[in-house]
């Protein structure tokens, strides 16, 4: 994905990387370095309208790293309730895959949390508001 012309050639192309980007937040410095070495724009600009990360991360520390490293505008709420790990975490007493509570507890302010929970996905999937209105799940102006 780190090609100089990928998003110029395909300006509408979007990627959603599941599970908080996997190792991506841990290697953000590596990706920033590659972007610099390849003469690309800064990484936060490179991913801005094209690469998104979901919140299917099953512990608070992972979500905290995600929101520390990835720009808020590039994080999309996702949950696997009931997902791959259906049990209750003995350390917390909560379901492992209840990802909403991790966003609720992270350092983002209310505006950032609204972006993660709904605002960002409505930007990525620009036809969503219209469809939600059609089925009565969204009222008012778009």
């Amino acid at each position: 994905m780190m090609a100089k012309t990928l998003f110029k050639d395909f300006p509408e192309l979007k990627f959603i990387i599941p599970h908080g980007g996997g190792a991506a937040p841990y290697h953000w410095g590596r990706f920033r370095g590659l972007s610099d070495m390849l003469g690309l724009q800064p990484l936060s600009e490179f991913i801005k309208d094209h690469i998104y990360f979901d919140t299917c991360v099953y512990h608070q520390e992972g979500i905290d790293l995600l929101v520390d490293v990835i720009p808020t505008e590039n994080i999309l709420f996702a949950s696997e309730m009931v997902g791959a790990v259906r049990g209750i975490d003995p350390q917390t007493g909560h379901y492992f895959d209840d990802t909403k509570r991790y966003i609720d507890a992270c350092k983002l302010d209310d505006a950032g949390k609204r972006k993660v929970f709904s605002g960002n996905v409505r930007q990525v999937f620009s036809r969503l508001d219209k469809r939600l209105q059609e089925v009565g799940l969204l009222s008012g102006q778009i």
Side-chain angles (χ1 to χ4, degrees), residues 94-111:
H94 297 278
Y95 285 96
F96 281 101
D97 56 2
D98 179 6
T99 59
K100 181 183 182 301
R101 66 185 210 86
Y102 302 130
I103 301 302
D104 288 339
C106 79
K107 72 174 191 177
L108 292 176
D109 61 15
D110 288 343

Side-chain angles (χ1 to χ4, degrees), residues 4-141:
K4 287 186 178 188
T5 65
L6 178 64
F7 296 125
K8 289 177 182 151
D9 295 341
F10 303 97
E12 300 299 316
L13 185 62
K14 293 176 177 29
F15 292 95
I16 299 173
I17 303 175
H19 306 291
Y26 292 99
H27 293 285
W28 206 246
R30 175 186 298 244
F31 300 137
R32 283 183 29 252
L34 284 170
S35 186
D36 183 64
M37 277 181 26
L38 294 171
L40 300 173
Q41 59 194 349
L43 192 55
S44 60
E45 287 298 312
F46 181 77
I47 71 166
K48 186 175 182 174
D49 296 316
H50 303 286
I51 302 174
Y52 301 89
F53 303 86
D54 80 17
T55 62
C56 280
V57 177
Y58 289 179
H59 69 302
Q60 189 65 54
E61 294 85 351
I63 289 292
D64 292 343
L65 177 64
L66 183 68
V67 302
D68 281 345
V69 174
I70 304 300
T72 303
E73 292 75 17
N74 293 82
I75 301 173
L76 306 176
F77 178 72
S79 179
E80 294 182 323
M81 294 286 294
V82 170
V85 182
R86 297 184 180 149
I88 293 177
D89 183 343
Q91 293 179 3
T92 66
H94 297 278
Y95 285 96
F96 281 101
D97 56 2
D98 179 6
T99 59
K100 181 183 182 301
R101 66 185 210 86
Y102 302 130
I103 301 302
D104 288 339
C106 79
K107 72 174 191 177
L108 292 176
D109 61 15
D110 288 343
K113 290 175 184 177
R114 277 193 302 276
K115 285 181 182 180
V116 170
F117 282 131
S118 67
N120 294 342
V121 75
R122 292 162 76 184
Q123 294 294 317
V124 173
F125 298 99
S126 58
R127 297 178 294 185
L128 182 59
D129 279 356
K130 183 178 181 206
R131 181 66 182 136
L132 290 173
Q133 279 188 329
E134 289 172 356
V135 298
L137 293 174
L138 182 67
S139 61
Q141 292 184 323

